[in-house]
Amino acid sequence: MSTEERRAIALLRRVPYGRIATSMRALPFVAPARHLVVDDRVVLRMHAGPGYHQACLGSVVAYGADNLGAADEDLWSVQFTGTAEPFHPTPEELELFGPAPHHVDGEPFEPVHLRIEPQFVTVHSLDYSTERHLRHAA
């Protein structure tokens, strides 16, 4: 695993949610998902209701997460691109996901799990640190 991939995995472990993107009926879509990292693979829990997971299965997807809503001076975004496969979590992994929502868009939450083995990993960093900015300007 490259240094960039290790860094992306470490960052991903800092936040519980992200977004999965692919296309359905030739149109792009983005859906929220809860994630874990299991054996260097991204494992997702999402709502089965809209059927987005069916469009993801066997397809190349992008999964992104970030801390852009945080008050940090160092903001980051990671993206994992790979093929989504069905995943059957162990009881221990289910527990790591934590409590599931009761409802999504007014429907009872129906969990479905996917695994992404990343083929491409991207990390973007945004530095808003005043101290570093002043140092570079001098």
Side-chain angles (χ1 to χ4, degrees), residues 13 16 19 28 31 34 42 53 58 61 63 66 71 73-75 80 85 87 89-90 92 98 105 114 122 132 136:
R13 286 185 168 130
R19 291 155 300 283
R34 170 78 168 94
V42 179
H53 68 288
V61 301
Y63 185 72
D66 58 60
E73 290 180 342
D74 293 318
L75 300 176
F80 299 82
E85 301 296 337
F87 182 75
T90 65
E92 294 80 16
D105 299 329
L114 306 174
T122 307
R132 283 185 234 170
H136 286 77

Side-chain angles (χ1 to χ4, degrees), residues 18-38:
R19 291 155 300 283
I20 189 167
T22 193
S23 63
M24 188 162 71
R25 295 186 288 274
L27 297 172
F29 76 86
V30 176
R34 170 78 168 94
H35 64 259
L36 298 176
V37 178
V38 177

Side-chain angles (χ1 to χ4, degrees), residues 6-138:
R6 279 194 287 279
R7 181 171 174 235
I9 292 289
L11 290 170
L12 187 66
R13 286 185 168 130
R14 293 183 185 180
V15 295
Y17 292 91
R19 291 155 300 283
I20 189 167
T22 193
S23 63
M24 188 162 71
R25 295 186 288 274
L27 297 172
F29 76 86
V30 176
R34 170 78 168 94
H35 64 259
L36 298 176
V37 178
V38 177
D39 297 327
D40 297 328
R41 292 178 181 92
V42 179
V43 176
L44 306 178
R45 178 183 71 192
M46 56 191 298
H47 178 46
Y52 294 151
H53 68 288
Q54 293 169 335
C56 295
L57 288 173
S59 297
V60 174
V61 301
Y63 185 72
D66 58 60
N67 73 338
L68 299 180
D72 295 344
E73 290 180 342
D74 293 318
L75 300 176
W76 54 265
S77 173
V78 296
Q79 180 173 301
F80 299 82
T81 304
T83 304
E85 301 296 337
F87 182 75
H88 304 286
T90 65
E92 294 80 16
E93 291 162 343
L94 284 173
E95 192 169 314
L96 288 174
F97 273 112
H102 298 288
H103 293 88
V104 174
D105 299 329
E107 295 181 22
F109 180 72
E110 183 183 340
V112 63
H113 298 88
L114 306 174
R115 178 182 68 205
I116 303 168
E117 186 163 355
Q119 301 300 309
F120 303 102
V121 177
T122 307
V123 178
H124 296 284
S125 299
L126 295 87
D127 181 1
Y128 285 91
S129 166
T130 305
E131 180 182 315
R132 283 185 234 170
H133 177 70
L134 293 175
R135 236 185 334 200
H136 286 77

